[in-house]
Amino acid sequence: MTTMRRALITDSDAWIGPHIQHDPSWIYQFDVAALAELDSALAQAKRIGTRIPFGPEVFPLPHLAAELASILTEVEQGKGFMLLRGIPRSQYSDEDCELLYWGLGAHLGKPISQNGRGHLLGHVRDEGRTQADPNARAYQTSQRMDFHTDMLPMDLLGLFCLRTAKRGGASKLTSALTIHNVLRSERPDLLDALYGQFHIDWRGEEPAGEKGFFTLPMFSERDGKVTARINSLPYYDSAVRYGEQYAPTAIQREALMKVQEIANRPELMLSMDFQEGDIQLVNNHTMLHAREAFEDYPEPGRERHLLRMWIAVDDSSRRPLADALSERYHWVRAGGIPVKTTNDARAA
């Protein structure tokens, strides 16, 4: 079989782990003035009884908004991620953190629904589920998560750390574009395979009238920009429940396993341990993220708990998407995963 010789990606979001692990430029430290502005906006939101969802006008950040615009540019057009650090988590209640995080996120774009429960502000914590359950999503477990992009091709993934685990749970990032370059060099046949059509299980989140799985290429290109849609491995395997023909082919499985092997190479990967109050922002088109397994504290109320937002950014800022992804972006424009109308809340 003849393989296509694809171009080497040299953009800043095709980074190498050791070059970036100790580079302080991906950490934005809130200074005293920024924290005072956040605190003032939070106080105003509470004073008028603001409830989520709300727009940026309710959470005024007259100076910090410009900083957030620069951060968004770096995530969408630069390295592909940023960590925002310095919010004094211990000074705020969980409810305060939700308002503060939402208000900040509203200045970055439009948050959308992440699941069939209609969660605009998601809760990433162990719900006692396992990835062996075809209707469970990986973030609802304490298990290790493969490198992946999140389910919808939304633009910006945000995580706010409310509480850390007793042990484990480290966040890991690898550039999907660097993986693309490695495959180009080592296994161009597998890179070609990843440009083909893969079947991925909705894991019980499919909107009304949709099939229980969707079909997409794992790599695609538009206007010279490559986009990745790699999912966690169980999402491909469980698509077989809709028919054996939807299982990955032998070369597709080999390609998916190779992606995971490359993503986990220490020389390509960046690892970070969240501090409480940290906000991680990730480009969902160019970065793959993973998580180590974790163990919670036994005391109720001390469990590892992250707040999550899926954010659609303005069209002028987001990455150009190939036709197959643009069609799926319809769900992003429509507000995310629609609310399930069934009574089975766990199925969502």
Side-chain angles (χ1 to χ4, degrees):
M1 182 180 71
T2 302
T3 58
M4 180 179 292
R5 189 62 175 172
R6 301 181 188 274
L8 182 71
I9 302 171
T10 58
D11 296 338
S12 57
D13 42 6
W15 44 261
I16 304 294
H19 295 169
I20 206 164
Q21 181 74 63
H22 303 294
D23 177 0
S25 67
W26 54 266
I27 300 178
Y28 174 84
Q29 188 77 35
F30 289 105
D31 61 20
V32 172
L35 291 175
E37 198 166 275
L38 283 171
D39 198 58
S40 176
L42 174 62
Q44 173 177 301
K46 292 172 65 177
R47 186 168 56 251
I48 63 177
T50 301
R51 294 181 179 274
I52 295 170
F54 57 84
E57 69 283 351
V58 179
F59 203 85
L61 299 173
H63 299 101
L64 187 54
E67 292 291 311
L68 293 175
S70 296
I71 289 168
L72 179 62
T73 297
E74 182 62 27
V75 175
E76 291 300 309
Q77 302 173 25
K79 294 183 187 71
F81 71 99
M82 286 287 290
L83 184 73
L84 283 55
R85 174 163 284 172
I87 291 174
R89 165 70 180 95
S90 61
Q91 296 182 19
Y92 299 113
S93 68
D94 286 5
E95 293 75 17
D96 288 343
C97 289
E98 291 180 3
L99 286 171
L100 188 153
Y101 177 44
W102 180 276
L104 189 150
H107 282 271
L108 297 170
K110 178 186 177 183
I112 66 169
S113 171
Q114 306 165 27
N115 54 35
R117 306 178 212 180
H119 289 170
L120 296 172
L121 187 64
H123 298 270
V124 179
R125 55 192 170 191
D126 182 16
E127 299 182 14
R129 308 180 76 175
T130 72
Q131 294 183 50
D133 176 355
N135 287 323
R137 286 173 58 189
Y139 73 88
Q140 298 166 332
T141 78
S142 64
Q143 295 173 288
R144 177 186 179 277
M145 295 170 66
D146 296 323
F147 277 97
H148 64 284
T149 58
D150 274 5
M151 183 178 284
L152 285 188
M154 51 78 195
D155 309 296
L156 182 64
L157 166 66
L159 294 170
F160 180 104
C161 181
L162 274 179
R163 280 181 290 280
T164 58
K166 178 180 180 181
R167 62 174 59 91
S171 174
K172 299 178 183 296
L173 295 176
T174 301
S175 167
L177 307 182
T178 299
I179 294 172
H180 190 282
N181 284 342
V182 173
L183 287 166
R184 174 184 180 272
S185 173
E186 296 182 5
R187 291 294 304 271
D189 59 324
L190 297 184
L191 181 58
D192 276 357
L194 290 163
Y195 275 84
Q197 299 296 312
F198 287 69
H199 308 295
I200 305 103
D201 195 345
W202 269 101
R203 306 286 280 192
E205 301 280 25
E206 68 275 8
E210 289 286 304
K211 296 177 181 177
F213 64 94
F214 54 93
T215 303
L216 282 176
M218 297 299 94
F219 281 119
S220 57
E221 183 269 337
R222 168 61 59 84
D223 299 340
K225 296 292 185 181
V226 171
T227 294
R229 294 302 321 140
I230 304 296
N231 285 260
S232 295
L233 294 173
Y235 285 61
Y236 304 94
D237 290 335
S238 61
V240 75
R241 61 179 168 155
Y242 300 105
E244 291 293 333
Q245 68 271 32
Y246 301 120
T249 66
I251 193 168
Q252 285 181 330
R253 182 173 297 281
E254 184 181 3
L256 293 170
M257 296 300 293
K258 187 66 174 178
V259 165
Q260 295 298 324
E261 184 271 314
I262 295 170
N264 279 284
R265 292 180 186 179
E267 68 272 19
L268 301 184
M269 181 173 55
L270 181 150
S271 181
M272 62 179 79
D273 288 307
F274 288 147
Q275 299 175 13
E276 293 185 355
D278 280 354
I279 297 173
Q280 183 191 62
L281 300 174
V282 177
N283 187 317
N284 193 45
H285 300 306
T286 62
M287 299 293 113
L288 302 187
H289 61 283
R291 184 196 70 201
E292 291 299 324
F294 65 88
E295 177 187 348
D296 273 329
Y297 289 99
E299 300 89 350
R302 292 194 67 189
E303 300 90 350
R304 182 183 189 269
H305 191 171
L306 306 181
L307 301 175
R308 183 175 72 173
M309 277 195 282
W310 282 0
I311 299 176
V313 305
D314 185 83
D315 284 350
S316 63
S317 300
R318 70 182 183 90
R319 198 170 189 83
L321 300 179
D323 288 346
L325 271 63
S326 292
E327 291 175 11
R328 188 158 169 77
Y329 199 82
H330 155 77
W331 294 112
V332 178
R333 293 196 187 281
I337 298 175
V339 176
K340 286 278 187 179
T341 57
T342 66
N343 295 323
D344 184 7
R346 276 185 68 84

